[in-house]
Amino acid sequence: MEPTPHAPLALTVSDEVRALAPGFTHLAIEAHGLVNGPSTDGTSALLDDAARRLAVRLGGRAPHEDPHMAAWRAAYTAFGAKPSRTRNSAEALAKRALADGGLPRINVLVDLYNAISVAHLIPVGGEDLDRIVGGMRLVRATGDEAFVTAAAGEQVVEHPDTGEVVWCDGEGVTCRRWNWRQGPRTRLAEDSVNAVFLLEGMGPDAGLAAAGAELAELLEKFSPGARISVRAPA
């Protein structure tokens, strides 16, 4: 008996965000039937290799000196964030990859997309499809939206700044400042089986297609039998 097909997750980018950053593109990978769990020797090796690939790409430069990261800094500045203090997820992860402590090991699925983010210097996020309410939208915030996070072990509700670029679903903000901080509600946990991975780029040379193809290969390798679909960059 064939599995019931899943309707693709609706992903929309608002006109206000398009006007703010005309060069923005994103690629989505939907995956069903994944196998997650604690980090493995295999995912750890991928993270180490990604750090080596990053070092070769940068050739001694700091991550923010890479043209793709410079384009992201310009986009952050455009909506009022200070990019030296509020780094996009790829720049923040790259800094950790190059530091003595190296990259964190989270779980299999997060390790895989973090490795792709670092190797390609592209912001990549993963969301649990079963925890997303309705579709996902990239919008400029009104400031009234709820972002549920945690501080000192307690649940805290924050509100984005007016005009801040945020990803949200029907229940609230899922990621603040474009891809700076993901909320715990939809993040990938060790029991996650269905996911959407978002690769985000600025400009035509971001390399989303190659990074997406590599991530899809890794997902197939670590979750044999998973149903994986890659959407063209939009």
Side-chain angles (χ1 to χ4, degrees):
M1 184 174 169
E2 288 294 315
T4 303
H6 297 267
L9 177 71
L11 287 167
T12 56
V13 178
S14 73
D15 291 342
E16 291 79 10
V17 172
R18 294 286 188 199
L20 177 80
F24 174 69
T25 55
H26 68 280
L27 180 151
I29 299 175
E30 277 196 47
H32 296 266
L34 295 166
V35 179
N36 203 9
S39 301
T40 67
D41 289 344
T43 63
S44 187
L46 282 171
L47 290 167
D48 288 340
D49 183 59
R52 286 190 289 270
R53 291 168 66 183
L54 173 68
V56 170
R57 172 184 175 131
L58 292 174
R61 295 173 300 167
H64 72 267
E65 295 174 301
D66 182 271
H68 191 215
M69 293 299 93
W72 271 105
R73 283 196 166 208
Y76 269 50
T77 299
F79 72 79
K82 292 184 171 58
S84 59
R85 196 165 61 195
T86 305
R87 295 180 175 88
N88 72 79
S89 66
E91 184 183 329
L93 208 57
K95 281 181 68 68
R96 293 192 72 170
L98 298 173
D100 289 343
L103 288 164
R105 275 59 172 163
I106 308 297
N107 58 52
V108 168
L109 294 177
V110 175
D111 290 354
L112 295 185
Y113 78 69
N114 278 349
I116 294 300
S117 176
V118 168
H120 292 266
L121 209 49
I122 288 172
V124 184
E127 306 279 358
D128 189 319
L129 278 171
D130 298 319
R131 296 186 173 117
I132 293 171
V133 179
M136 290 182 64
R137 296 169 292 122
L138 187 66
V139 302
R140 299 198 70 179
T142 64
D144 296 327
E145 298 90 347
F147 178 70
V148 180
T149 185
E154 299 292 325
Q155 183 172 295
V156 177
V157 178
E158 298 177 353
H159 299 280
D161 299 327
T162 302
E164 182 181 323
V165 176
V166 296
W167 279 103
C168 57
D169 67 357
E171 194 166 305
V173 174
T174 57
C175 197
R176 284 198 59 187
R177 294 180 190 161
W178 219 312
N179 47 49
W180 167 67
R181 183 192 291 169
Q182 183 185 30
R185 172 171 60 89
T186 57
R187 71 173 49 140
L188 294 173
E190 290 187 10
D191 60 351
S192 297
V193 292
N194 302 312
V196 60
F197 301 90
L198 283 173
L199 293 75
E200 299 180 294
M202 287 289 169
D205 301 321
L208 295 188
E214 187 175 346
L215 178 54
E217 279 184 21
L218 289 175
L219 293 171
E220 290 169 357
K221 175 182 176 181
F222 282 82
S223 291
R227 300 180 301 284
I228 297 165
S229 62
V230 181
R231 301 191 198 180

Coordinates of all heavy atoms in Angstrom, one line a residue, residues 59-112:
G59 N 40.3 31.2 3.0 CA 41.7 31.5 2.7 C 42.3 32.5 3.7 O 43.1 33.4 3.2
G60 N 42.0 32.4 4.9 CA 42.5 33.3 5.9 C 41.7 34.6 6.2 O 42.0 35.3 7.1
R61 N 40.6 34.8 5.4 CA 39.7 35.9 5.7 C 38.8 35.5 6.9 O 38.5 34.4 7.2 CB 38.9 36.2 4.5 CG 39.6 36.8 3.3 CD 38.7 36.9 2.1 NE 38.2 35.6 1.7 CZ 37.1 35.5 0.9 NH1 36.6 36.5 0.3 NH2 36.7 34.3 0.6
A62 N 38.2 36.6 7.5 CA 37.1 36.3 8.4 C 35.8 36.0 7.7 O 35.7 36.4 6.5 CB 36.9 37.6 9.3
P63 N 34.9 35.3 8.3 CA 33.6 34.9 7.6 C 32.9 36.1 7.0 O 32.4 36.1 5.9 CB 32.8 34.2 8.7 CG 33.8 33.6 9.6 CD 35.0 34.6 9.6
H64 N 32.9 37.3 7.8 CA 32.1 38.4 7.3 C 32.7 39.1 6.1 O 32.1 39.9 5.4 CB 31.9 39.4 8.4 CG 33.1 40.2 8.8 ND1 34.0 39.8 9.8 CD2 33.6 41.3 8.3 CE1 35.0 40.7 9.9 NE2 34.8 41.6 9.0
E65 N 34.0 38.7 5.7 CA 34.6 39.3 4.6 C 34.2 38.5 3.3 O 34.6 38.9 2.2 CB 36.1 39.3 4.8 CG 36.6 40.2 5.9 CD 38.1 40.1 6.2 OE1 38.5 39.0 6.5 OE2 38.7 41.2 6.1
D66 N 33.6 37.4 3.4 CA 33.1 36.6 2.3 C 32.0 37.4 1.6 O 31.2 38.0 2.3 CB 32.6 35.2 2.7 CG 32.1 34.4 1.5 OD1 30.9 34.5 1.1 OD2 33.0 33.6 1.0
P67 N 32.0 37.5 0.3 CA 31.0 38.3 -0.4 C 29.5 37.9 -0.1 O 28.7 38.8 0.1 CB 31.2 38.0 -1.9 CG 32.7 37.7 -2.0 CD 33.0 36.9 -0.7
H68 N 29.2 36.6 0.1 CA 27.9 36.2 0.5 C 27.5 36.7 1.9 O 26.4 37.2 2.1 CB 27.7 34.7 0.4 CG 26.3 34.2 0.5 ND1 25.9 33.1 1.1 CD2 25.2 34.8 0.1 CE1 24.6 32.9 1.0 NE2 24.1 34.0 0.4
M69 N 28.4 36.6 2.8 CA 28.2 37.1 4.2 C 28.0 38.7 4.2 O 27.2 39.2 4.9 CB 29.2 36.7 5.1 CG 29.3 35.2 5.4 SD 27.7 34.5 6.1 CE 26.8 34.0 4.6
A70 N 28.8 39.3 3.3 CA 28.7 40.8 3.2 C 27.3 41.2 2.7 O 26.7 42.2 3.2 CB 29.8 41.3 2.3
A71 N 26.8 40.4 1.8 CA 25.4 40.7 1.3 C 24.4 40.5 2.4 O 23.4 41.2 2.5 CB 25.1 39.8 0.1
W72 N 24.6 39.4 3.2 CA 23.7 39.2 4.3 C 23.8 40.4 5.3 O 22.7 40.8 5.9 CB 24.0 37.9 5.0 CG 23.2 36.7 4.4 CD1 23.6 35.8 3.5 CD2 21.8 36.5 4.5 NE1 22.6 35.0 3.2 CE2 21.5 35.4 3.8 CE3 20.8 37.1 5.2 CZ2 20.2 34.8 3.7 CZ3 19.5 36.6 5.2 CH2 19.2 35.5 4.4
R73 N 25.0 40.8 5.6 CA 25.1 41.9 6.5 C 24.4 43.2 6.0 O 23.8 43.9 6.8 CB 26.6 42.3 6.8 CG 27.3 41.3 7.7 CD 28.6 41.8 8.2 NE 29.1 41.0 9.4 CZ 29.8 41.5 10.3 NH1 30.2 42.7 10.3 NH2 30.2 40.7 11.3
A74 N 24.4 43.4 4.7 CA 23.7 44.6 4.2 C 22.2 44.4 4.3 O 21.5 45.4 4.6 CB 24.1 44.7 2.7
A75 N 21.7 43.2 4.2 CA 20.3 42.9 4.4 C 19.9 43.1 5.8 O 18.8 43.7 6.1 CB 19.9 41.5 3.9
Y76 N 20.7 42.7 6.8 CA 20.4 42.9 8.2 C 20.4 44.4 8.5 O 19.5 44.8 9.2 CB 21.4 42.1 9.0 CG 21.0 40.7 9.4 CD1 20.6 39.8 8.4 CD2 21.1 40.3 10.7 CE1 20.2 38.5 8.7 CE2 20.7 39.0 11.1 CZ 20.3 38.1 10.1 OH 19.9 36.8 10.4
T77 N 21.3 45.1 8.0 CA 21.4 46.5 8.2 C 20.1 47.2 7.7 O 19.6 48.1 8.3 CB 22.6 47.1 7.6 OG1 23.8 46.5 8.1 CG2 22.7 48.6 7.8
A78 N 19.6 46.7 6.6 CA 18.5 47.3 5.9 C 17.2 47.3 6.8 O 16.3 48.1 6.7 CB 18.2 46.7 4.6
F79 N 17.1 46.2 7.6 CA 15.9 46.2 8.5 C 16.2 46.6 9.9 O 15.3 46.5 10.8 CB 15.2 44.8 8.4 CG 15.9 43.7 9.1 CD1 15.8 43.5 10.5 CD2 16.5 42.7 8.4 CE1 16.4 42.4 11.1 CE2 17.1 41.6 9.0 CZ 17.1 41.5 10.3
G80 N 17.4 47.2 10.1 CA 17.6 47.8 11.4 C 18.5 47.0 12.4 O 18.7 47.5 13.5
A81 N 18.9 45.8 12.0 CA 19.7 45.0 12.9 C 21.2 45.4 12.8 O 21.6 46.0 11.7 CB 19.6 43.5 12.6
K82 N 22.0 45.3 13.8 CA 23.4 45.5 13.8 C 24.1 44.2 13.5 O 24.2 43.3 14.4 CB 23.9 46.1 15.1 CG 23.3 47.5 15.4 CD 23.9 48.0 16.7 CE 23.6 49.5 16.9 NZ 22.1 49.8 16.9
P83 N 24.6 44.0 12.2 CA 25.1 42.7 11.8 C 26.3 42.3 12.6 O 26.6 41.1 12.6 CB 25.4 42.9 10.3 CG 25.5 44.4 10.1 CD 24.6 45.0 11.2
S84 N 27.1 43.2 13.1 CA 28.3 42.8 13.9 C 27.9 42.2 15.3 O 28.6 41.4 15.9 CB 29.2 43.9 14.1 OG 28.6 45.0 14.8
R85 N 26.7 42.5 15.7 CA 26.2 42.0 17.0 C 25.1 40.9 16.8 O 25.0 40.0 17.6 CB 25.6 43.1 17.8 CG 25.4 42.8 19.3 CD 25.2 44.1 20.1 NE 24.0 44.8 19.7 CZ 23.7 46.1 20.0 NH1 24.6 46.8 20.7 NH2 22.6 46.7 19.6
T86 N 24.3 41.0 15.7 CA 23.3 40.1 15.4 C 23.7 39.4 14.1 O 23.4 39.9 13.0 CB 21.9 40.7 15.3 OG1 21.6 41.5 16.4 CG2 20.8 39.7 15.0
R87 N 24.4 38.3 14.2 CA 24.9 37.7 12.9 C 23.9 36.7 12.4 O 23.2 36.0 13.1 CB 26.2 36.9 13.2 CG 27.4 37.8 13.7 CD 28.6 37.0 13.9 NE 29.8 37.9 14.2 CZ 30.1 38.4 15.4 NH1 29.3 38.0 16.5 NH2 31.1 39.2 15.6
N88 N 23.9 36.6 11.0 CA 23.0 35.6 10.4 C 23.6 34.2 10.8 O 24.7 34.1 11.3 CB 23.0 35.8 8.9 CG 24.3 35.4 8.2 OD1 24.6 34.2 8.0 ND2 25.1 36.4 7.9
S89 N 22.8 33.2 10.7 CA 23.1 31.9 11.3 C 24.4 31.3 10.6 O 25.2 30.7 11.3 CB 22.0 30.9 11.1 OG 21.7 30.7 9.8
A90 N 24.6 31.6 9.3 CA 25.8 31.0 8.7 C 27.1 31.7 9.2 O 28.1 31.0 9.5 CB 25.7 31.2 7.2
E91 N 27.0 33.0 9.4 CA 28.2 33.7 9.9 C 28.5 33.3 11.3 O 29.7 33.0 11.7 CB 28.1 35.2 9.8 CG 29.3 35.9 10.2 CD 29.1 37.4 10.2 OE1 28.4 37.9 9.3 OE2 29.8 38.1 11.0
A92 N 27.5 33.2 12.1 CA 27.7 32.8 13.5 C 28.2 31.4 13.6 O 29.1 31.1 14.4 CB 26.3 32.9 14.3
L93 N 27.7 30.5 12.8 CA 28.2 29.1 12.8 C 29.6 29.0 12.3 O 30.4 28.2 12.8 CB 27.2 28.2 12.0 CG 27.1 26.7 12.4 CD1 26.7 26.5 13.8 CD2 26.1 26.1 11.4
A94 N 29.9 29.8 11.3 CA 31.3 29.8 10.7 C 32.3 30.2 11.8 O 33.4 29.7 11.9 CB 31.3 30.7 9.5
K95 N 31.9 31.2 12.5 CA 32.9 31.7 13.6 C 33.1 30.6 14.6 O 34.3 30.4 15.0 CB 32.3 32.9 14.3 CG 32.4 34.2 13.5 CD 31.9 35.4 14.3 CE 32.7 35.7 15.5 NZ 34.0 36.2 15.2
R96 N 32.1 29.8 14.9 CA 32.3 28.7 15.9 C 33.1 27.6 15.2 O 34.0 27.0 15.9 CB 30.9 28.1 16.3 CG 30.1 29.1 17.1 CD 28.9 28.4 17.8 NE 29.3 27.5 18.8 CZ 28.4 26.9 19.7 NH1 27.1 27.2 19.6 NH2 28.8 26.1 20.6
A97 N 32.9 27.4 14.0 CA 33.7 26.3 13.3 C 35.2 26.6 13.3 O 36.0 25.7 13.4 CB 33.2 26.2 11.8
L98 N 35.5 27.9 13.2 CA 36.9 28.3 13.1 C 37.5 28.5 14.5 O 38.8 28.6 14.6 CB 37.0 29.6 12.3 CG 36.6 29.5 10.8 CD1 36.6 30.9 10.2 CD2 37.4 28.5 10.1
A99 N 36.7 28.5 15.6 CA 37.2 28.7 16.9 C 37.8 27.4 17.5 O 37.5 26.3 16.9 CB 36.1 29.3 17.8
D100 N 38.5 27.5 18.6 CA 39.1 26.3 19.2 C 38.1 25.2 19.6 O 38.4 24.0 19.4 CB 39.9 26.7 20.4 CG 41.2 27.5 20.0 OD1 41.6 27.4 18.9 OD2 41.7 28.1 20.9
G101 N 36.9 25.6 20.0 CA 35.9 24.6 20.5 C 35.3 23.9 19.3 O 34.7 22.8 19.5
G102 N 35.3 24.5 18.1 CA 34.7 23.9 17.0 C 33.1 23.9 17.0 O 32.5 24.6 17.9
L103 N 32.5 23.1 16.2 CA 31.1 23.1 16.0 C 30.4 22.3 17.1 O 30.9 21.2 17.4 CB 30.7 22.6 14.6 CG 31.0 23.6 13.5 CD1 30.9 22.9 12.2 CD2 30.0 24.7 13.5
P104 N 29.2 22.7 17.6 CA 28.5 21.8 18.5 C 27.9 20.6 17.8 O 27.7 20.6 16.6 CB 27.4 22.8 19.0 CG 27.1 23.7 17.9 CD 28.5 23.9 17.2
R105 N 27.8 19.6 18.6 CA 27.1 18.3 18.1 C 25.7 18.3 18.8 O 25.6 18.3 20.0 CB 27.9 17.1 18.5 CG 29.0 16.7 17.5 CD 30.1 17.7 17.3 NE 31.2 17.1 16.5 CZ 32.1 17.8 15.9 NH1 32.1 19.1 16.0 NH2 33.1 17.2 15.2
I106 N 24.7 18.4 17.9 CA 23.3 18.5 18.5 C 22.5 17.2 18.3 O 22.2 16.6 19.3 CB 22.5 19.7 17.7 CG1 23.4 21.0 17.7 CG2 21.2 19.9 18.4 CD1 23.7 21.6 19.1
N107 N 22.2 16.9 17.1 CA 21.6 15.6 16.8 C 21.9 15.3 15.3 O 22.4 16.2 14.6 CB 20.1 15.5 17.2 CG 19.2 16.5 16.5 OD1 19.3 16.7 15.3 ND2 18.4 17.3 17.3
V108 N 21.5 14.1 14.8 CA 21.9 13.8 13.5 C 21.4 14.8 12.5 O 22.2 15.3 11.6 CB 21.3 12.4 13.1 CG1 21.5 12.1 11.6 CG2 22.1 11.3 13.9
L109 N 20.1 15.1 12.5 CA 19.6 16.0 11.5 C 20.1 17.4 11.6 O 20.5 18.1 10.5 CB 18.0 16.1 11.5 CG 17.3 14.8 11.2 CD1 15.8 14.9 11.4 CD2 17.6 14.3 9.8
V110 N 20.3 18.0 12.8 CA 20.8 19.3 12.9 C 22.3 19.3 12.5 O 22.8 20.2 11.8 CB 20.7 19.8 14.4 CG1 21.4 21.1 14.6 CG2 19.2 19.9 14.7
D111 N 23.0 18.2 12.9 CA 24.4 18.1 12.4 C 24.6 18.2 10.9 O 25.5 18.8 10.3 CB 25.1 16.9 12.9 CG 25.3 16.9 14.4 OD1 25.1 17.9 15.1 OD2 25.7 15.8 15.0
L112 N 23.7 17.5 10.2 CA 23.7 17.4 8.8 C 23.5 18.8 8.2 O 24.3 19.2 7.3 CB 22.7 16.5 8.2 CG 22.9 15.0 8.5 CD1 21.8 14.1 7.8 CD2 24.3 14.5 8.2

